[in-house]
């Protein structure tokens, strides 16, 4: 391929050696039909210059990119719905490449649906096209709302008919590539602890510290955990502010950089509902919307348990105890960002957080989650727009008065954002399940990708309007 000056390969995970994963090959797919390529993300790692044929060669047939040694299926364990599973690992994906981004971060190109590996456990190693479409949409919406997230990089339809027990079959197949800030999971450390290899844990800590948290001193395992705790608190707060339920917060789905990835049964809230669950199989609401902070903290304690093999318990416990204060601090910041106002200090910021949640709770099903932040973005600067809009009748009563008072205490942050055409529309951009299903239905029934492409274009416009940053 003609290399861009911005292309900087740096396959660092591969330096850890064979104990951490297995060299693999991608499946030989009968078709490779390019359905989505993220040129904006590609430009950050010097790959936007690829032709479609080159793109398919690298992300459909997985010919190694220059300077990359080839795919590796990563090994890890994990707690799945609080039950330990030592029979995990990359069963339908692999780490394809690592590159330096234009902002200096080390990023992974990881796959989903690329074929069987030694960790497949009898599975077919494939991904449904619907699953790929849903992941593109989830990542796009989360990035728009300022959540630290992997970015869907490529989606290629692969021409196989897959049998699935939880959706109409046979169904179409695809291979997805995501651009993510590390696939080193909590479960990667758990695996090393399970097999009794403190040397592997020490090597992992040093690897992740040096690459992702370099301000932590070498050998400072509690300091490393503290950084992971802080990053995880920020991620969880951003999920809550976005009204997002991940669905499967197992320890193999959380990583050391605090970046969200691997979107299966996700959902965005239609309205405030603490017990809202994304996964039909989460029968007891373990990963319900409002329980996500609890779930992430529990997962962090499992990471801390693995690190006990190489560090003292007390400083690890101190690091874990920082999650609660960090989460509340990050939640205040996340709600301020979503409302487009500047901080006024801890007390005033907490008052705004509390009154916002109270208003959403009081509004019930009549007040959808996203329109509140859309109507009142910028605080006082949006008064005329909100009070003259389609939800004018909702903006009254004691809960609203308390919210408005707390909101108007805060100055607008970058009020020029309100000049964006999106804020002249009556409704915000949302990602509720009915729309997701309609987008898929058009693809499934008529191979009509127009609604999918139109949604991504609207998300790009909304991302520009909100001006939020996730990581």
């Amino acid at each position: 391929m003609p290399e861009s000056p911005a292309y900087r390969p740096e396959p660092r995970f591969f330096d850890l050696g064979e104990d951490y994963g297995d060299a693999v090959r991608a499946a030989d797919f009968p078709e490779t039909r390019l359905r989505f390529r993220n040129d904006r993300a590609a430009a950050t790692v010097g790959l936007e210059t690829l032709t479609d044929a080159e793109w398919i060669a690298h992300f459909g047939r997985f010919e190694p990119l220059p300077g990359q040694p080839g795919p590796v299926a990563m090994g890890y364990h994990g707690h799945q719905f609080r039950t330990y599973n030592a029979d995990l690992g990359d069963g339908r994906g692999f780490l394809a490449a690592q590159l330096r981004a234009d902002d200096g971060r080390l990023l992974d190109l990881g796959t989903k649906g690329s074929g069987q590996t030694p960790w497949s456990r009898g599975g077919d190693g494939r991904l449904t096209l619907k699953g790929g479409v849903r992941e593109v949409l989830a990542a796009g919406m989360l990035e728009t709302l300022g959540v630290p997230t992997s970015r869907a990089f490529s989606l290629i339809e692969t021409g196989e008919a897959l049998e699935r027990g939880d959706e109409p079959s046979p169904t179409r197949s695809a291979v997805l590539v995501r651009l993510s800030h590390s696939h080193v999971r909590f479960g990667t450390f758990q695996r090393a602890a399970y097999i009794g290899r403190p040397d592997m844990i020490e090597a992992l800590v040093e690897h992740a510290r040096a690459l992702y948290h370099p301000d932590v001193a070498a050998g400072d395992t509690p300091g490393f955990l503290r950084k992971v705790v802080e990053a995880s608190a920020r991620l969880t707060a951003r999920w809550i502010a976005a009204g997002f339920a991940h669905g499967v917060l197992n320890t193999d789905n959380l990583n050391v950089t605090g970046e969200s990835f691997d979107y299966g049964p996700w959902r965005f809230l239609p309205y405030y509902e603490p017990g809202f669950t994304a996964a039909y199989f989460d029968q007891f609401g373990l990963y319900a919307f409002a329980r996500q902070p609890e779930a992430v903290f529990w997962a962090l304690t499992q990471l801390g348990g693995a690190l006990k093999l190489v560090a003292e318990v007390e400083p690890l416990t101190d690091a874990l105890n920082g999650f609660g204060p960090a989460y509340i601090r990050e939640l205040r910041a996340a709600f301020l960002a979503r409302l487009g106002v500047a901080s006024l200090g801890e007390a005033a910021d907490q008052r705004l957080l509390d009154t916002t949640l109270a208003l959403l709770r009081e509004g019930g099903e009549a007040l959808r989650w996203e329109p509140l932040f859309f109507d009142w973005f910028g605080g006082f600067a949006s008064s005329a727009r909100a009070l003259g809009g389609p939800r004018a009748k909702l903006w009254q009563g004691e809960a609203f008065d308390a919210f408005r008072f707390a909101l108007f205490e805060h100055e607008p942050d970058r009020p020029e954002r309100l000049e964006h055409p999106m804020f002249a529309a009556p409704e915000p951009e949302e990602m509720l399940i009915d729309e997701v299903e309609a987008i898929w239905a058009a693809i499934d029934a008529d191979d009509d990708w127009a609604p999918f492409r139109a949604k991504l274009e609207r998300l790009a416009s909304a991302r520009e309007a909100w001006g939020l940053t996730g990581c």
Side-chain angles (χ1 to χ4, degrees):
M1 76 178 203
E3 290 189 31
S4 161
Y7 176 72
R8 293 186 288 163
E10 195 172 328
R12 298 294 300 276
F13 183 80
F14 304 82
D15 296 341
L16 284 168
E18 296 179 355
D19 286 340
Y20 299 87
D22 293 273
V24 293
R25 297 180 63 183
D28 184 11
F29 298 115
E31 294 180 13
T32 47
R33 301 180 66 187
L34 181 57
R35 294 303 194 179
F36 168 76
R37 59 177 281 175
N38 190 337
D39 281 320
R40 188 174 65 88
T44 67
V45 290
L47 291 174
E48 79 284 6
T49 57
L50 294 178
T51 66
D52 281 354
E54 290 168 332
W55 189 280
I56 289 170
H58 292 301
F59 307 124
R61 294 193 295 274
F62 294 97
E63 298 173 7
L65 289 161
Q68 305 287 350
V72 61
M74 300 169 72
Y76 48 84
H77 291 176
H79 279 89
Q80 298 187 309
F81 286 84
R82 304 276 169 98
T83 299
Y84 194 79
N85 189 346
D87 192 22
L88 286 177
D90 279 336
R92 58 171 174 167
F94 50 65
L95 179 63
Q98 289 183 294
L99 315 95
R100 284 288 172 187
D102 54 8
D103 62 2
R105 293 185 303 156
L106 182 66
L107 299 181
D108 295 353
L109 286 173
T111 69
K112 191 173 184 178
S114 49
Q116 292 178 314
T117 77
W119 313 99
S120 294
R121 307 176 299 282
D124 63 12
R126 273 34 175 200
L127 171 69
T128 66
L129 181 61
K130 182 178 183 180
V133 166
R134 284 172 46 83
E135 180 136 349
V136 174
L137 294 173
M141 187 67 183
L142 287 170
E143 185 183 6
T144 295
L145 296 180
V147 177
T149 178
S150 63
R151 286 170 288 174
F153 193 81
S154 171
L155 183 66
I156 292 175
E157 190 169 357
T158 53
E160 295 177 311
L162 304 180
E163 294 292 337
R164 292 291 185 268
D166 57 352
E167 62 180 281
S169 296
T171 188
R172 294 155 73 175
S173 60
V175 61
L176 175 87
V177 178
R178 68 169 72 95
L179 186 65
S180 182
H181 191 33
S182 180
H183 283 80
V184 177
R185 300 157 165 86
F186 296 180
T188 314
F189 295 85
Q190 290 181 284
R191 174 175 174 261
Y194 181 87
I195 61 178
R197 292 284 303 275
D199 60 314
M200 286 181 62
I201 297 175
E202 288 178 338
L204 270 173
V205 170
E206 177 56 23
H207 171 85
R209 179 207 64 78
L211 294 175
Y212 308 115
H213 301 295
D215 51 337
V216 176
D220 184 3
T221 299
F224 167 73
L225 179 59
R226 188 172 296 108
K227 284 291 185 181
V228 177
V229 165
E230 291 171 354
S232 300
R234 182 170 187 262
L235 170 62
T236 311
R238 294 295 180 102
W239 280 338
I240 297 300
F244 179 72
H246 184 284
V248 186
L249 292 180
N250 298 331
T251 57
D252 57 303
N253 284 339
L254 293 164
N255 67 10
V256 297
T257 59
E259 184 177 80
S260 187
F261 71 104
D262 201 10
Y263 302 115
W266 56 269
R267 293 286 191 277
F268 284 88
L269 290 182
Y271 50 85
Y272 183 63
E273 184 181 354
F276 181 86
T277 56
Y280 70 88
F281 46 82
D282 188 4
Q283 299 173 354
F284 300 102
L286 183 64
Y287 298 146
F289 171 72
R291 295 186 68 184
Q292 290 180 117
E294 172 197 339
V296 172
F297 179 68
W298 191 90
L300 284 163
T301 64
Q302 308 315 303
L303 172 60
L307 296 179
K308 285 195 302 183
L309 272 69
V310 299
E312 296 295 327
V313 171
E314 186 173 350
L316 292 175
T317 301
D318 288 343
L320 290 169
N321 286 340
F323 179 82
Y327 171 70
I328 295 299
R329 182 173 64 250
E330 292 290 351
L331 192 63
R332 287 195 294 263
F335 271 70
L336 288 175
R338 295 253 31 225
L339 288 164
V341 294
S343 174
L344 191 62
E346 184 175 318
D349 295 351
Q350 185 65 45
R351 185 159 52 248
L352 179 54
L353 170 60
D354 292 342
T355 56
T356 303
L357 289 172
L359 179 59
L360 284 163
R361 184 166 50 247
E362 179 77 17
E365 295 184 25
L367 176 56
R368 301 197 318 278
W369 184 275
E370 199 57 34
L372 170 66
F373 299 97
F374 176 75
D375 281 9
W376 291 101
F377 188 74
F380 179 79
S382 281
S383 290
R385 181 173 66 90
L387 296 174
R391 281 164 293 279
K393 291 182 179 179
L394 294 176
W395 309 133
Q396 56 185 323
E398 291 184 9
F400 171 69
D401 289 342
F403 163 76
R404 180 168 56 176
F405 175 80
L407 181 64
F408 288 1
E409 285 185 298
H410 294 75
E411 292 292 326
D413 175 29
R414 292 173 287 156
E416 66 275 8
R417 288 181 288 175
L418 290 169
E419 298 173 9
H420 192 280
M422 184 190 78
F423 290 107
E427 300 293 340
E429 201 58 49
E430 297 177 274
M431 189 70 76
L432 301 181
I433 189 61
D434 288 348
E435 182 182 14
V436 174
E437 291 294 335
I439 289 170
W440 168 246
I443 295 169
D444 187 39
D446 303 312
D447 205 32
D448 180 5
W449 290 81
F452 173 76
R453 289 191 292 268
K455 182 65 175 182
L456 294 180
E457 289 175 2
R458 293 196 302 275
L459 287 181
S461 178
R463 184 168 55 249
E464 181 182 81
W466 289 115
L468 301 174
T469 56
C471 51

